[in-house]
Amino acid sequence: MAITRIAYGVMNGKDVHAFIIENSQGAKAQIIEKGATLEKLLVKDKNGDFIDVLVGHDTLDGHINRSDYQGVVVGQYANRIKGGKFTIDGTEYNVTCNEKGITCLHGGGEYSSAHWNGEIISDNAVKFTYLSPDGAEGFPGNVNVSATYTFTDDNRLIIEYKAVSDKKTVINLTNHAYFNLNGYDSGDVLDHTLKINADRYTPIDEVSIPTGELPSVTGTPFDFTVSKTIGRDIDADHPQIKNGMGFDHNFCIADYDGKLKEIAVATGDRSGITMTVSTDLPGVQLYTGNFLDGSVVGKGGKPITKRSAFCLETQVYPDSPNHPEWHKCIYDADEEYHTVTEFAFSL
Ligand code: BGC
């Protein structure tokens, strides 16, 4: 195992570093201080070649100007909050409505645009820290947050999130990596297979806010309990597929008990690379890159095209601050938020 720290660029007068964690097999994870972004993940395919399975950017300008949140850590509240409003102990908070002026998406973008300080803490782990000031994007509390990336010899990328606020606040952190297990430059992901251990999902309205229902996936395009291709039902004649223009929904993990467990398995049809996702969180957003349209240039100067990647964003259900009947997302002052998500690669 070895970690290299290199200069990557300068953002708002601050040096941005990249950290490359290489394991004994030669697989590599590269994370940069802007947004604590997971930028590259080089793993071996069935031919023995290392391929980068992350769609996104490979320049600081690309990360800063053209992000669809590729690889970043999103917070303070990942995914959406209806109307950008929620109430804690009788106080209503109004947070940035950065989506169509009516919805808060990915915390308004603060965490993912921020400079996180990277520190090598072992021969295979880098800890990124950021202090989110009280009131940033309207969220209460000075929040000390960290995301620690560990990459193991058996190709497991573990992300451990911790946060502590000095005021009662909402917290929901995730990583927004866009995966293409055939390689970042190899077309759409429709022939990848995917299994998600979720028996219910959160349907959305026309502006992607959960309706509040938690219907069964059985008999719908959202049934990934048995492995199927991502493309099989992506254009099905179903109102929810229309609302998301494909899959852009939160799946409710079956038998959720707060413990770290396997929740999804995806395989690249051409590379043979399998990714197994584990988390201790209750939900996962499957987003199939429906809104990518080729207008943004990514790695190698190539356009990032529709459905060229998929995301599995582990999270509490979207808009949970307005659904106290769902899972905990409000933390007291000094109460620690702590979750773990793991992406394991095999052939
Ligand atoms: C959302 C999508 C959005 C994407 C990029 C996902 O988490 O669910 O609707 O387009 O992030 O912002």
Side-chain angles (χ1 to χ4, degrees):
M1 300 289 325
I3 301 183
T4 318
R5 176 181 180 264
I6 56 171
Y8 192 83
V10 177
M11 182 173 81
N12 304 329
K14 259 190 153 174
D15 288 333
V16 175
H17 298 97
F19 294 80
I20 304 158
I21 315 177
E22 179 168 356
N23 72 13
S24 59
Q25 303 185 34
K28 289 179 194 156
Q30 176 161 329
I31 308 110
I32 65 168
E33 288 180 314
K34 184 256 151 193
T37 301
L38 177 60
E39 188 196 61
K40 292 190 183 105
L41 201 46
L42 287 146
V43 290
K44 240 183 217 172
D45 70 6
K46 65 182 179 193
N47 302 318
D49 298 323
F50 284 104
I51 61 170
D52 182 1
V53 295
L54 293 176
V55 171
H57 302 285
D58 55 6
T59 63
L60 188 54
D61 278 353
H63 287 290
I64 292 172
N65 302 324
R66 292 146 175 254
S67 177
D68 282 297
Y69 300 90
Q70 279 95 355
V72 296
V73 171
V74 287
Q76 184 161 311
Y77 192 88
N79 209 287
R80 296 180 171 85
I81 299 176
K82 183 177 182 173
K85 283 187 204 307
F86 56 88
T87 301
I88 300 177
D89 294 343
T91 303
E92 184 182 274
Y93 292 95
N94 286 278
V95 293
T96 304
C97 286
N98 57 329
E99 193 180 41
K100 299 173 191 148
I102 51 170
T103 299
C104 179
L105 174 64
H106 298 325
E110 178 209 351
Y111 283 45
S112 50
S113 324
H115 183 286
W116 295 58
N117 187 51
E119 186 196 349
I120 298 172
I121 57 164
S122 74
D123 66 350
N124 69 345
V126 183
K127 181 177 184 181
F128 293 85
T129 50
Y130 171 61
L131 171 64
S132 168
D134 187 17
E137 311 282 6
F139 287 94
N142 291 294
V143 185
N144 266 301
V145 54
S146 67
T148 301
Y149 288 81
T150 304
F151 191 46
T152 66
D153 271 338
D154 56 354
N155 297 320
R156 287 182 301 131
L157 181 79
I158 303 154
I159 313 177
E160 183 179 13
Y161 304 89
K162 285 188 181 173
V164 178
S165 170
D166 61 359
K167 273 190 192 159
K168 201 167 181 181
T169 195
V170 297
I171 307 180
N172 181 31
L173 306 177
T174 195
N175 181 285
H176 206 303
Y178 284 69
F179 295 98
N180 185 323
L181 300 176
N182 290 332
Y184 74 90
D185 55 351
S186 54
D188 68 52
V189 291
L190 300 182
D191 290 332
H192 279 53
T193 53
L194 176 64
K195 178 176 185 287
I196 307 177
N197 183 24
D199 49 358
R200 297 180 179 274
Y201 74 111
T202 49
I204 51 175
D205 66 13
E206 55 295 334
V207 291
S208 297
I209 296 294
T211 60
E213 301 141 293
L214 301 175
S216 165
V217 296
T218 307
T220 76
F222 299 89
D223 191 347
F224 280 92
T225 55
V226 175
S227 187
K228 64 176 177 178
T229 62
I230 289 178
R232 196 182 88 179
D233 297 324
I234 201 169
D235 289 318
D237 185 15
H238 187 283
Q240 281 302 317
I241 289 283
K242 292 205 175 77
N243 283 355
M245 285 174 62
F247 297 109
D248 190 5
H249 295 78
N250 171 70
F251 287 70
C252 310
I253 302 309
D255 304 321
Y256 171 70
D257 61 3
K259 299 206 177 87
L260 184 69
K261 65 175 170 200
E262 190 178 306
I263 58 133
V265 182
T267 300
D269 51 302
R270 285 187 267 147
S271 65
I273 294 172
T274 289
M275 177 174 81
T276 304
V277 185
S278 303
T279 189
D280 53 11
L281 287 166
V284 64
Q285 184 87 6
L286 170 62
Y287 171 54
T288 45
N290 312 313
F291 306 119
L292 304 174
D293 61 6
S295 61
V296 169
V297 168
K299 288 179 179 175
K302 295 200 179 133
I304 302 181
T305 52
K306 187 172 175 179
R307 298 179 176 164
S308 60
F310 67 99
C311 306
L312 287 169
E313 304 150 55
T314 55
Q315 59 187 2
V316 292
Y317 304 168
D319 199 31
S320 282
N322 293 307
H323 288 276
E325 74 279 17
W326 290 349
H327 301 282
K328 177 183 170 76
C329 68
I330 297 180
Y331 289 79
D332 279 327
D334 298 327
E335 182 186 357
E336 187 179 63
Y337 167 96
H338 182 198
T339 73
V340 176
T341 291
E342 181 180 308
F343 302 94
F345 297 86
S346 58
L347 285 170

